[in-house]
């Protein structure tokens, strides 16, 4: 099936109010253009230089989300144009984003990435760490950042109960933090190709789907980036 057909299928499966990030990492600009021609405007990438190169090559009305782990020294590549950084997993990164966004005279949307999976290798705040950090009120001093919600990745397993547990933990933290950030805090980003229907059932408002739309990834092609 073509990219546009796969995209149409995924779109048709999402209830109203759930947005789709088409995760295009490792795929060439032509693949993104095909999805763009089919009406998709929101794309996600996980490497800053690759994201920057695609931004420069592709139409400027694309909304780009950074979804992968971001090193503070790479923030400068994407701060001038990225719409949202979904993977804010440390105070240092939030501070670097504040600084670079301010330099560009921009306001950046961010999500707080939460670690809920069993794998220790996955990144994100531990919920208690995050609560402690938020209790120190640092976001009040970050006017260039708009905290829009929470992002997370479920455990990589076939056990649906484990995945559901992870999604419900994210939903529960999202509900807990919402009163503190107010009306702008409206985004719960969870669900990927293999688990997004369950994520939606658990309250996701933003799903990040890559391989189901673009096919399997070949990392060797973009290793140089
Ligand atoms: C790659 C990636 C995705 C998409 O994964 P698929 O399984 O291809 O849908 C979603 N979220 C994050 C954070 C990713 O890095």
């Amino acid at each position: 099936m073509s990219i546009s057909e796969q995209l149409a299928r995924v779109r048709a499966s999402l209830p109203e109010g759930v947005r789709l990030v088409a995760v295009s990492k490792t795929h060439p600009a032509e693949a993104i253009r095909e999805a763009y021609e089919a009406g998709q405007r929101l794309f996600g990438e996980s490497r800053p230089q690759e994201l920057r190169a695609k931004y420069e090559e592709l139409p400027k009305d694309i909304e780009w989300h950074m979804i992968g782990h971001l090193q503070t020294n790479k923030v400068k590549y994407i701060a001038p144009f990225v719409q949202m950084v979904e993977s804010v997993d440390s105070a240092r990164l939030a501070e670097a984003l504040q600084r670079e966004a301010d330099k560009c005279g921009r306001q950046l949307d961010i999500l707080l990435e939460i670690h809920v999976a069993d794998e220790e290798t996955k990144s994100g705040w531990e919920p208690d760490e995050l609560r402690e950090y938020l209790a120190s009120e640092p976001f009040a001093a970050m006017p260039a950042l708009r905290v829009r919600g929470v992002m997370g990745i479920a455990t990589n397993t076939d056990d649906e109960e484990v995945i559901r547990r992870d999604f419900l933990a994210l939903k529960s933290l999202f509900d807990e933090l919402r009163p503190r950030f107010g009306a702008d805090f409206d985004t719960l980003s969870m669900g990927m190709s293999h688990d997004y229907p369950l994520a939606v059932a658990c309250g996701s408002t933003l799903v990040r789907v890559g391989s189901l739309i673009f096919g399997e990834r070949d990392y060797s092609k973009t290793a140089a980036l």
Side-chain angles (χ1 to χ4, degrees):
M1 232 188 281
S2 70
I3 289 172
S4 54
E5 284 168 329
Q6 289 289 11
L7 183 63
R9 273 196 168 192
V10 173
R11 280 227 203 94
S13 72
L14 294 174
E16 214 180 299
V18 178
R19 295 187 78 204
L20 169 66
V21 182
V23 177
S24 48
K25 63 189 185 200
T26 77
H27 295 287
E30 305 87 80
I32 299 176
R33 214 179 278 279
E34 185 177 341
Y36 178 90
E37 299 298 337
Q40 181 69 20
R41 290 294 179 273
L42 172 52
F43 293 89
E45 290 278 336
S46 60
R47 295 172 187 179
Q49 285 102 320
E50 182 179 348
L51 174 50
R52 175 69 181 238
K54 286 172 174 171
Y55 162 75
E56 281 169 2
E57 182 169 351
L58 288 157
K60 294 299 172 280
D61 62 340
I62 288 180
E63 183 184 331
W64 294 103
H65 284 198
M66 175 68 192
I67 62 169
H69 180 67
L70 181 57
Q71 290 170 274
T72 52
N73 62 345
K74 305 246 167 103
V75 168
K76 58 178 184 287
Y77 294 117
I78 62 169
F81 66 88
V82 76
Q83 177 69 39
M84 183 184 275
V85 177
E86 296 197 17
S87 43
V88 176
D89 57 2
S90 73
R92 273 189 69 221
L93 177 56
E95 284 152 19
L97 287 164
Q98 160 61 33
R99 221 166 27 244
E100 291 294 326
D102 190 49
K103 264 192 215 164
C104 304
R106 302 188 70 221
Q107 199 171 43
L108 282 186
D109 287 343
I110 66 163
L111 300 180
L112 301 166
E113 182 177 357
I114 313 296
H115 180 232
V116 289
D118 287 339
E119 299 100 335
E120 285 185 19
T121 48
K122 299 258 164 77
S123 51
W125 300 85
E126 297 301 329
D128 278 341
E129 235 175 42
L130 178 64
R131 288 186 187 99
E132 203 175 300
Y133 174 58
L134 292 178
S136 65
E137 298 276 354
F139 280 107
M142 296 198 207
L145 303 185
R146 195 155 67 126
V147 186
R148 297 293 305 272
V150 160
M151 183 272 250
I153 302 172
T155 304
N156 187 10
T157 171
D158 292 332
D159 187 340
E160 205 167 282
E161 283 319 303
V162 173
I163 300 173
R164 187 191 310 274
R165 176 205 67 187
D166 290 348
F167 286 151
L168 291 177
L170 290 167
K171 165 75 168 136
S172 149
L173 196 64
F174 174 70
D175 289 339
E176 175 190 327
L177 296 178
R178 209 172 188 175
R180 138 175 222 124
F181 290 103
D184 285 343
F185 198 85
D186 58 3
T187 305
L188 176 54
S189 173
M190 57 186 197
M192 306 171 32
S193 289
H194 66 285
D195 60 15
Y196 82 87
L198 183 53
V200 168
C202 293
S204 174
T205 69
L206 187 68
V207 295
R208 309 176 309 271
V209 179
S211 40
L212 199 57
I213 298 169
F214 294 106
E216 291 305 316
R217 284 181 287 275
D218 179 357
Y219 282 96
S220 63
K221 281 191 197 144
T222 50
L225 294 164

